[in-house]
Amino acid sequence: MNLKPSKPTISVLILIALCSILLMIRVYKTGTFLGLFLVWNLFLAITPILFIFLAKKLHDHYGFQKLGIKMAILTLMTTWLLFFPNSPYIITDLMHLSHLPKHLLWFDAVGIFITALTGLIVGLYSMYHFQILSKKIFGNTVAWFLVISSAILSGFGLYLGRFVRFNSWDLFSNPTHLIKQSVLETGNPLAIQTTLVFSIVLIGLYLSFYNLISFKHENIKNASKF
Protein backbone atom coordinates (compact mmCIF):
# COMPACT_ATOMS: atom_id res chain seq x y z
CA MET A 1 0.00 0.00 0.00
CA ASN A 2 1.37 3.38 -1.02
CA LEU A 3 0.99 5.75 1.93
CA LYS A 4 2.88 8.60 0.28
CA PRO A 5 0.56 11.65 0.02
CA SER A 6 -0.18 13.03 -3.44
CA LYS A 7 1.17 16.39 -4.53
CA PRO A 8 -2.25 18.10 -4.23
CA THR A 9 -2.50 16.73 -0.67
CA ILE A 10 0.97 18.06 0.12
CA SER A 11 -0.03 21.46 -1.29
CA VAL A 12 -3.10 21.59 0.95
CA LEU A 13 -1.04 20.54 3.98
CA ILE A 14 1.46 23.32 3.29
CA LEU A 15 -1.35 25.89 3.19
CA ILE A 16 -2.91 24.51 6.40
CA ALA A 17 0.51 24.65 8.10
CA LEU A 18 0.94 28.26 6.96
CA CYS A 19 -2.49 29.19 8.36
CA SER A 20 -1.59 27.50 11.66
CA ILE A 21 1.74 29.31 11.93
CA LEU A 22 0.14 32.70 11.34
CA LEU A 23 -2.53 31.98 13.93
CA MET A 24 0.03 30.85 16.52
CA ILE A 25 2.08 34.00 15.91
CA ARG A 26 -1.03 36.09 16.51
CA VAL A 27 -1.85 34.25 19.74
CA TYR A 28 1.75 34.66 20.93
CA LYS A 29 1.88 38.37 20.09
CA THR A 30 -1.53 39.33 21.51
CA GLY A 31 -2.00 36.80 24.29
CA THR A 32 -5.61 36.33 23.16
CA PHE A 33 -7.41 33.67 21.18
CA LEU A 34 -9.35 36.14 19.06
CA GLY A 35 -9.32 34.72 15.56
CA LEU A 36 -9.68 31.07 16.53
CA PHE A 37 -12.99 31.08 14.66
CA LEU A 38 -10.84 30.69 11.55
CA VAL A 39 -9.76 27.23 12.73
CA TRP A 40 -13.39 26.02 12.79
CA ASN A 41 -14.17 27.72 9.49
CA LEU A 42 -11.09 26.14 7.89
CA PHE A 43 -12.11 22.70 9.19
CA LEU A 44 -15.55 23.14 7.61
CA ALA A 45 -13.91 24.36 4.38
CA ILE A 46 -11.87 21.17 4.11
CA THR A 47 -14.78 18.85 4.93
CA PRO A 48 -16.37 18.76 1.42
CA ILE A 49 -13.33 17.19 -0.20
CA LEU A 50 -13.55 14.26 2.22
CA PHE A 51 -17.10 13.46 1.12
CA ILE A 52 -16.36 13.62 -2.60
CA PHE A 53 -13.16 11.57 -2.24
CA LEU A 54 -15.09 8.88 -0.38
CA ALA A 55 -17.76 8.91 -3.10
CA LYS A 56 -15.05 8.50 -5.77
CA LYS A 57 -13.45 5.64 -3.85
CA LEU A 58 -16.78 3.81 -3.67
CA HIS A 59 -17.37 4.35 -7.37
CA ASP A 60 -13.85 3.21 -8.31
CA HIS A 61 -14.09 0.04 -6.22
CA TYR A 62 -17.73 -0.98 -6.62
CA GLY A 63 -19.04 0.86 -9.67
CA PHE A 64 -22.51 2.34 -9.87
CA GLN A 65 -24.72 -0.71 -10.41
CA LYS A 66 -25.77 -1.99 -7.00
CA LEU A 67 -28.60 -0.03 -5.41
CA GLY A 68 -26.91 0.24 -2.00
CA ILE A 69 -23.67 1.58 -3.46
CA LYS A 70 -25.57 3.89 -5.79
CA MET A 71 -27.52 5.39 -2.87
CA ALA A 72 -24.34 5.77 -0.81
CA ILE A 73 -22.54 7.60 -3.63
CA LEU A 74 -25.48 9.92 -4.33
CA THR A 75 -25.82 10.64 -0.60
CA LEU A 76 -22.14 11.56 -0.36
CA MET A 77 -22.40 13.78 -3.44
CA THR A 78 -25.42 15.53 -1.93
CA THR A 79 -23.57 15.96 1.36
CA TRP A 80 -20.66 17.46 -0.59
CA LEU A 81 -23.06 20.04 -2.02
CA LEU A 82 -24.41 20.80 1.44
CA PHE A 83 -20.96 21.49 2.87
CA PHE A 84 -19.33 23.01 -0.22
CA PRO A 85 -20.35 26.64 0.58
CA ASN A 86 -18.08 26.40 3.63
CA SER A 87 -15.04 26.38 1.33
CA PRO A 88 -15.46 29.86 -0.17
CA TYR A 89 -17.26 31.16 2.95
CA ILE A 90 -14.00 32.28 4.61
CA ILE A 91 -13.74 35.02 1.99
CA THR A 92 -16.59 36.74 3.84
CA ASP A 93 -14.55 36.66 7.07
CA LEU A 94 -12.65 39.63 5.68
CA MET A 95 -15.61 41.61 7.03
CA HIS A 96 -14.20 41.04 10.52
CA LEU A 97 -11.22 43.27 9.75
CA SER A 98 -13.25 46.32 10.74
CA HIS A 99 -13.64 44.87 14.27
CA LEU A 100 -10.02 43.78 14.77
CA PRO A 101 -7.24 45.88 16.38
CA LYS A 102 -5.96 48.52 13.97
CA HIS A 103 -2.29 47.98 14.80
CA LEU A 104 -2.64 44.34 13.66
CA LEU A 105 -4.80 45.09 10.66
CA TRP A 106 -2.09 44.27 8.12
CA PHE A 107 -1.25 40.97 9.87
CA ASP A 108 -4.89 39.91 10.30
CA ALA A 109 -5.58 40.79 6.66
CA VAL A 110 -2.79 38.42 5.59
CA GLY A 111 -3.98 35.69 7.99
CA ILE A 112 -7.61 35.79 6.85
CA PHE A 113 -6.55 36.01 3.20
CA ILE A 114 -4.32 32.92 3.45
CA THR A 115 -7.04 30.99 5.29
CA ALA A 116 -9.65 32.04 2.72
CA LEU A 117 -7.30 31.09 -0.11
CA THR A 118 -6.77 27.65 1.44
CA GLY A 119 -10.50 27.04 1.77
CA LEU A 120 -11.12 28.27 -1.76
CA ILE A 121 -8.43 26.08 -3.33
CA VAL A 122 -9.64 22.99 -1.47
CA GLY A 123 -13.21 23.81 -2.51
CA LEU A 124 -12.36 24.23 -6.19
CA TYR A 125 -10.34 21.03 -6.12
CA SER A 126 -13.29 19.16 -4.57
CA MET A 127 -15.60 20.63 -7.22
CA TYR A 128 -13.25 19.37 -9.92
CA HIS A 129 -13.51 15.84 -8.52
CA PHE A 130 -17.26 16.25 -8.16
CA GLN A 131 -17.39 17.01 -11.88
CA ILE A 132 -15.18 14.04 -12.75
CA LEU A 133 -17.41 11.69 -10.77
CA SER A 134 -20.59 13.25 -12.18
CA LYS A 135 -19.21 12.85 -15.70
CA LYS A 136 -18.59 9.13 -15.11
CA ILE A 137 -22.10 8.63 -13.77
CA PHE A 138 -24.26 11.04 -15.79
CA GLY A 139 -22.17 12.18 -18.76
CA ASN A 140 -20.35 15.41 -19.59
CA THR A 141 -23.37 17.67 -20.22
CA VAL A 142 -25.13 16.75 -16.98
CA ALA A 143 -21.84 17.06 -15.09
CA TRP A 144 -21.39 20.67 -16.24
CA PHE A 145 -25.02 21.42 -15.40
CA LEU A 146 -24.48 20.06 -11.88
CA VAL A 147 -21.31 22.11 -11.43
CA ILE A 148 -22.97 25.37 -12.51
CA SER A 149 -26.03 24.59 -10.38
CA SER A 150 -23.78 23.82 -7.41
CA ALA A 151 -22.06 27.19 -7.78
CA ILE A 152 -25.41 29.01 -7.84
CA LEU A 153 -26.75 27.09 -4.84
CA SER A 154 -23.48 27.72 -3.02
CA GLY A 155 -23.84 31.43 -3.73
CA PHE A 156 -27.19 31.33 -1.95
CA GLY A 157 -25.63 29.20 0.79
CA LEU A 158 -22.99 31.87 1.36
CA TYR A 159 -25.73 34.43 1.80
CA LEU A 160 -27.54 32.20 4.31
CA GLY A 161 -24.33 31.63 6.23
CA ARG A 162 -23.12 35.22 6.38
CA PHE A 163 -26.33 37.24 6.68
CA VAL A 164 -28.94 34.82 8.07
CA ARG A 165 -26.31 32.99 10.16
CA PHE A 166 -27.29 29.46 9.16
CA ASN A 167 -24.69 26.72 8.85
CA SER A 168 -24.53 23.27 7.30
CA TRP A 169 -25.41 21.55 10.58
CA ASP A 170 -28.79 23.28 10.73
CA LEU A 171 -30.09 20.92 8.05
CA PHE A 172 -29.70 18.12 10.62
CA SER A 173 -30.54 19.99 13.84
CA ASN A 174 -33.42 22.19 12.62
CA PRO A 175 -34.26 21.33 9.00
CA THR A 176 -37.83 22.68 9.05
CA HIS A 177 -36.77 26.16 10.13
CA LEU A 178 -33.84 26.18 7.68
CA ILE A 179 -35.99 25.22 4.68
CA LYS A 180 -38.83 27.58 5.60
CA GLN A 181 -36.49 30.54 6.15
CA SER A 182 -34.51 29.76 3.00
CA VAL A 183 -37.70 29.91 0.92
CA LEU A 184 -38.62 33.25 2.50
CA GLU A 185 -35.14 34.65 1.82
CA THR A 186 -35.42 34.00 -1.93
CA GLY A 187 -37.51 37.17 -2.17
CA ASN A 188 -34.95 39.29 -0.32
CA PRO A 189 -33.15 41.72 -2.72
CA LEU A 190 -29.92 41.33 -0.73
CA ALA A 191 -30.17 37.54 -1.10
CA ILE A 192 -30.60 37.86 -4.86
CA GLN A 193 -27.70 40.31 -5.22
CA THR A 194 -25.38 38.29 -2.97
CA THR A 195 -26.24 35.00 -4.66
CA LEU A 196 -25.67 36.52 -8.10
CA VAL A 197 -22.27 38.00 -7.19
CA PHE A 198 -20.97 34.91 -5.40
CA SER A 199 -22.28 32.61 -8.15
CA ILE A 200 -20.50 34.59 -10.86
CA VAL A 201 -17.30 34.67 -8.82
CA LEU A 202 -17.42 30.92 -8.08
CA ILE A 203 -18.18 30.00 -11.70
CA GLY A 204 -15.40 32.26 -12.98
CA LEU A 205 -12.88 30.91 -10.48
CA TYR A 206 -13.83 27.32 -11.23
CA LEU A 207 -13.58 27.77 -15.00
CA SER A 208 -10.11 29.24 -14.54
CA PHE A 209 -9.14 26.42 -12.14
CA TYR A 210 -10.59 23.78 -14.50
CA ASN A 211 -8.65 25.09 -17.49
CA LEU A 212 -5.40 25.20 -15.53
CA ILE A 213 -5.76 21.57 -14.44
CA SER A 214 -6.97 20.45 -17.89
CA PHE A 215 -3.98 22.19 -19.51
CA LYS A 216 -1.62 20.32 -17.18
CA HIS A 217 -3.26 16.95 -17.94
CA GLU A 218 -3.19 17.61 -21.70
CA ASN A 219 0.52 18.38 -21.55
CA ILE A 220 1.16 15.16 -19.65
CA LYS A 221 -0.79 13.15 -22.26
CA ASN A 222 1.00 14.84 -25.15
CA ALA A 223 4.38 14.29 -23.56
CA SER A 224 3.66 10.57 -23.11
CA LYS A 225 3.14 10.22 -26.86
CA PHE A 226 6.75 11.08 -27.69
Side-chain angles (χ1 to χ4, degrees), residues 97-109:
L97 288 174
S98 60
H99 307 295
L100 296 173
K102 300 302 178 184
H103 69 285
L104 283 176
L105 190 61
W106 67 272
F107 185 83
D108 288 331

Side-chain angles (χ1 to χ4, degrees), residues 52 59 64 70 73-75 77-78 130-147:
I52 203 62
H59 185 271
F64 197 69
K70 185 181 295 186
I73 292 173
L74 292 177
T75 299
M77 293 175 73
T78 303
F130 173 81
Q131 182 178 3
I132 291 176
L133 181 57
S134 298
K135 183 178 179 179
K136 290 179 180 178
I137 296 173
F138 306 112
N140 188 53
T141 302
V142 175
W144 273 110
F145 173 79
L146 291 174
V147 165

Side-chain angles (χ1 to χ4, degrees), residues 192-212:
I192 297 172
Q193 295 167 16
T194 307
T195 301
L196 181 62
V197 170
F198 278 127
S199 299
I200 292 173
V201 170
L202 283 174
I203 292 170
L205 287 172
Y206 180 71
L207 289 176
S208 177
F209 184 85
Y210 176 84
N211 280 287
L212 283 172

Side-chain angles (χ1 to χ4, degrees), residues 63-164:
F64 197 69
Q65 301 301 321
K66 295 182 179 179
L67 180 61
I69 298 298
K70 185 181 295 186
M71 293 302 296
I73 292 173
L74 292 177
T75 299
L76 286 168
M77 293 175 73
T78 303
T79 308
W80 169 86
L81 176 59
L82 173 65
F83 281 86
F84 175 74
N86 292 303
S87 294
Y89 176 83
I90 306 177
I91 297 174
T92 67
D93 284 330
L94 289 167
M95 297 173 64
H96 292 301
L97 288 174
S98 60
H99 307 295
L100 296 173
K102 300 302 178 184
H103 69 285
L104 283 176
L105 190 61
W106 67 272
F107 185 83
D108 288 331
V110 172
I112 295 178
F113 170 76
I114 294 298
T115 309
L117 180 64
T118 302
L120 186 60
I121 289 175
V122 173
L124 293 175
Y125 190 58
S126 74
M127 181 175 272
Y128 178 75
H129 283 280
F130 173 81
Q131 182 178 3
I132 291 176
L133 181 57
S134 298
K135 183 178 179 179
K136 290 179 180 178
I137 296 173
F138 306 112
N140 188 53
T141 302
V142 175
W144 273 110
F145 173 79
L146 291 174
V147 165
I148 300 300
S149 299
S150 299
I152 296 172
L153 290 172
S154 295
F156 184 61
L158 283 167
Y159 165 79
L160 292 176
R162 173 49 61 192
F163 295 101
V164 192

